[in-house]
Amino acid sequence: MAGAVESSLVSEDTSGTEAVAAGVVGIAAILFGISLGSMFELLSITDPIAGIPMVALLGTLLTLLGLGVIGFGLGSRFGYVATDPRPSAGLVASVAFSGIWFAVGGLVASQSFGLGTVGWVAVAFVTGGLAFAGTALPREDIGSTLPVGVFAVFVGVVFLTGVIGPSWVWDLGWEQQASFNAEFSIPVITAFCSLLVSWASAKAYGGFGARGRHVGAYLLVYLNALSIIAVLFLLVAFTVFKGLPGLFNGLTFGLGSGPETTLFGFTFAWPFAWPFVMNGVALLNDVNGVLPAIVGTIWLVIGAVVFAVPLGVGAAVFITEYADRGRFTQVVEVATNGLWSTPSIVFGLFGLAFLVPRLGNGKSLLAGMLTLGFMLLPLVVITSREAMLAVPDEYRDASAALGVTKWQTIRSVVLPASLPGIVTGIILGVGRIAGETAPILLTMSGSVAPPGSQTVDVIGGFSFTSSPPFVSNPELLQATSALPYQLYSLITAGVGQSSNIANIEQFRWATALILLVVVLSFYAVGIATRYYFRRKLQHE
Amino acid sequence: MSKTSQTTEDETKRTDQPLEVTAGETREQTQDEWTDYDFESQAKFSVEDLDVYYGDDHALKGVSMEIPENSVTALIGPSGCGKSTFLRCLNRMNDRISAARIDGSVELDGEEIYQDGVNLVELRKRVGMVFQSPNPFPKSIRDNISYGPRKHGDLETGFLSNLLGRSDEDEVDELVERSLSQAALWDEVEDRLDDNALGLSGGQQQRLCIARALATDPEVLLMDEPASALDPIATSKIEDLVHELSEDYTVVIVTHNMQQAARISDQTAVFLTGGELVEYGDTDQIFEDPESQRVEDYISGKFG
């Protein structure tokens, strides 16, 4: 039997092979890092690293990797390395490798040898079939290393010989003249190869068999998670990097250097001047800023939350605690889920057609708040309902057995226990609405590059009047700007180019960064609140 | 105590009872005979012809029994025999199950609890309940104890009461200490009354639940397998506690554990599959000389 290698409980000294396998995985990880870096233009494939041209370096490393993996497979097959392989590498690996080799064969036949459709398809089938047989038929140690190793060596040689070099372009020949250039292709191919090879060498490191498969899967899962986190981090880092110069333009410290602010009747001067977040856009400003949009966004979110949370939680209390579970609650559930997936522009249109004419017949902060509140409402209902359903019935029984009424039970037991869940829902919802552009565009947009004097002052605008409704706050009915909307207009509509913003590119990125910071601040507040309520519920 | 003396004692006890099974009579009793059973103390609950249906399922069939005051009554029987259902009828907890329908009469101190106009808050204040798994609220120990009285408006605490100078914080402290002492938990938690109750061990949590039920000053304590989720040491603490409580309270306890019923109860009611009350009487008699063959089989482990 092919796979019958005696396996013992304690394996022989394998430190040597493990070191080699770890080295191979290490090289693969380096390659993966380089390719990720060059995909995000942190590294350029035309620049040499330590005097060696990048493509040549990649090619050499790939060839080495391929040879290393092949060596592993052969070493294991001929008994130089103690492993525990299965009789076959398995169907999934066979299909995957045959797909890779199908593509390689087809590409070589059509691109290098210029064969026609029939020719390249035939070659592709031959290479694909060979790879399938080469993976499925031999023992696992050969099947899961040889096709991968040969592929890596092949790619390495292609890079080294310059068949694919820094100036290589693959024209797809489509109507749109789309093409892949080397800047993009080489990192992608390298990353793919290094993933494959590191999987194969991780399997070898685990000695094939069940343990090898476990190690291989472990590596793939970890690399996947790491690269997702890396991509997200790069995304944020990119924005921060691009936004910082514009953000801190003209920042000065010193007592009384900042503008004067009046809050609740107290007037004070900020001890620093930060033009980008303290100014609007005006002709006389040294440095222009986005203060009106920041304040607009903050009030918008506060208004939407104040409007949606009591209503949403109330609705959730009704459908969870009072309404009998049945057709009615099902319909409500489907409807709320549907509302949550409704595109925001539809909410915006509703706001424009229904709210705007009824609220002073003009776009206004209040209309925007209510529209976003309507958007937030379904998520608050859904998550509050989930949170209340998760409160154990034992609490309700215990409370009822003490003779406490249903409403008192809800207020003092169910709601406190479900607060962390409700807050989670609000966090998610705020994350979505704070970045919404379409509803703002339709319901509250003011001027696209507002001067500082157009900053809404909701607290200061409040006053008592002698006739009903006895209060007035004209600021609520003023059209105002918000960060996503300002960003949108700065980028797409080309607004600002003609106005007096000095460096429009810097200004855009700084606006994007401020939007990110404002949204993340709301997140932070939400998470801190949730943490506080959790602490109260748990035994600490 | 020697075995002989025990038997004599039992026999004397039985001769006192008006319901004597004479020789030659069939050992199978009819229900009517022992519902007239006259306990020494007054009946706290008298239940007559109680039927409970869950939808189409007839969970309790014509149960009649009287539960005497200031004693421990154990309800035993196999799973699904309706003993918990019966217990939950005594404080109308079955009302919370929308599919449940209840027929018959349950009187508490001579007052029908299944009639219009019964104040459930008042009923449940008088008839407290402890559940199978410990279920303290995720609040502090102090808040758990004072929860009932505060919600009933018997104690005023909080910001507004403080402001108006009507705060009953001292009374809360007193209540917390009294209830916890009654539940034999005070010494263990004295120093951490403001800690979350979920940090206590299972046995402590269950005693906290008993203390919570005692805090509303009930007359009856219903216990639904209060020790089934606990280890032997915690169980024996609960059993001791039940024994002590029976001096001042009427305790009705459901248990799966027949030794436990034998140890702690004064009367035992045996429910068997199908929701029937098969036999009810003094615990010693039920365990040593049951009238019904089915009960004897159940107790000796041949069935159930």
Side-chain angles (χ1 to χ4, degrees), chain A residues 94-179:
Chain A
S94 311
V95 171
F97 294 167
S98 73
I100 292 167
W101 277 101
F102 182 89
V104 170
L107 283 174
V108 170
S110 64
Q111 301 297 310
S112 304
F113 298 106
L115 298 184
T117 311
V118 180
W120 80 253
V121 170
V123 173
F125 268 110
V126 170
T127 52
L130 278 177
F132 189 91
T135 314
L137 295 182
R139 216 169 69 171
E140 189 189 13
D141 44 5
I142 291 291
S144 60
T145 55
L146 205 58
V148 177
V150 175
F151 176 60
V153 171
F154 171 78
V155 174
V157 169
V158 165
F159 283 175
L160 278 177
T161 52
V163 176
I164 293 180
S167 56
W168 177 81
V169 174
W170 180 22
D171 192 346
L172 292 180
W174 292 358
E175 211 184 326
Q176 292 86 352
Q177 318 239 304
S179 60

Side-chain angles (χ1 to χ4, degrees), chain A residues 394-405 408-409 411-413 536-539, chain B residues 93 96 121 124 127 129 131 135-139 147 151-152 196 198-199 212-213 216:
Chain A
E394 279 86 25
Y395 294 166
R396 297 185 181 88
D397 279 347
S399 188
L402 287 168
V404 175
T405 58
Q408 282 179 317
T409 305
R411 228 196 55 190
S412 357
V413 179
K536 259 182 85 171
L537 284 178
Q538 280 158 10
H539 45 93
Chain B
M93 281 296 276
R96 289 169 49 72
V121 172
R124 289 174 185 164
V127 185
M129 189 165 194
F131 294 84
N135 56 357
F137 300 121
K139 299 171 182 288
Y147 178 80
K151 295 300 150 189
H152 297 144
N196 196 306
L198 296 180
R212 182 177 64 186
T216 59

Side-chain angles (χ1 to χ4, degrees), chain B residues 76-226:
Chain B
I76 63 171
S79 298
C81 66
K83 53 193 191 307
S84 289
T85 300
F86 176 79
L87 192 76
R88 293 166 68 94
C89 284
L90 299 181
N91 65 347
R92 293 189 59 169
M93 281 296 276
N94 279 332
D95 292 16
R96 289 169 49 72
I97 301 165
S98 51
R101 190 161 60 79
I102 294 132
D103 277 342
S105 145
V106 178
E107 287 180 358
L108 172 62
D109 286 336
E111 265 186 297
E112 175 61 48
I113 66 167
Y114 283 97
Q115 60 176 327
D116 292 341
V118 169
N119 182 351
L120 283 186
V121 172
E122 201 56 39
L123 171 68
R124 289 174 185 164
K125 269 169 77 173
R126 287 174 62 186
V127 185
M129 189 165 194
V130 177
F131 294 84
Q132 181 169 6
S133 51
N135 56 357
F137 300 121
K139 299 171 182 288
S140 71
I141 293 172
R142 187 197 305 277
D143 287 350
N144 262 284
I145 302 291
S146 60
Y147 178 80
R150 270 192 298 155
K151 295 300 150 189
H152 297 144
D154 297 342
L155 286 174
E156 281 195 64
T157 56
F159 179 71
L160 192 61
S161 314
N162 279 332
L163 206 67
L164 299 174
R166 287 207 308 240
S167 174
D168 294 330
E169 287 297 342
D170 295 342
E171 282 176 55
V172 170
D173 289 342
E174 216 173 286
L175 171 84
V176 168
E177 177 166 0
R178 191 179 60 229
S179 308
L180 286 172
S181 308
Q182 272 182 306
L185 188 62
W186 173 251
D187 296 338
E188 292 166 54
V189 299
E190 188 177 6
D191 306 327
R192 43 180 177 144
L193 293 176
D194 290 314
D195 287 5
N196 196 306
L198 296 180
L200 298 175
S201 74
Q204 289 174 325
Q205 287 189 9
Q206 192 62 296
R207 277 179 283 151
L208 177 68
C209 291
I210 294 173
R212 182 177 64 186
L214 294 175
T216 59
D217 198 18
E219 299 157 20
V220 182
L221 209 51
L222 307 178
M223 298 180 144
D224 191 353
E225 300 182 41

Side-chain angles (χ1 to χ4, degrees), chain A residues 347-413:
Chain A
F347 278 100
L349 203 58
F350 167 77
L352 179 69
F354 184 82
L355 293 174
V356 169
R358 284 162 180 76
L359 297 171
N361 210 9
K363 295 180 180 181
S364 64
L365 179 61
L366 188 61
M369 285 174 171
L370 292 180
T371 308
L372 291 190
F374 281 123
M375 276 186 65
L376 186 58
L377 201 51
L379 188 73
V380 173
V381 174
I382 294 166
T383 50
S384 309
R385 181 169 151 71
E386 291 295 323
M388 284 177 209
L389 286 178
V391 173
D393 266 342
E394 279 86 25
Y395 294 166
R396 297 185 181 88
D397 279 347
S399 188
L402 287 168
V404 175
T405 58
K406 196 163 196 168
W407 168 242
Q408 282 179 317
T409 305
I410 292 169
R411 228 196 55 190
S412 357
V413 179

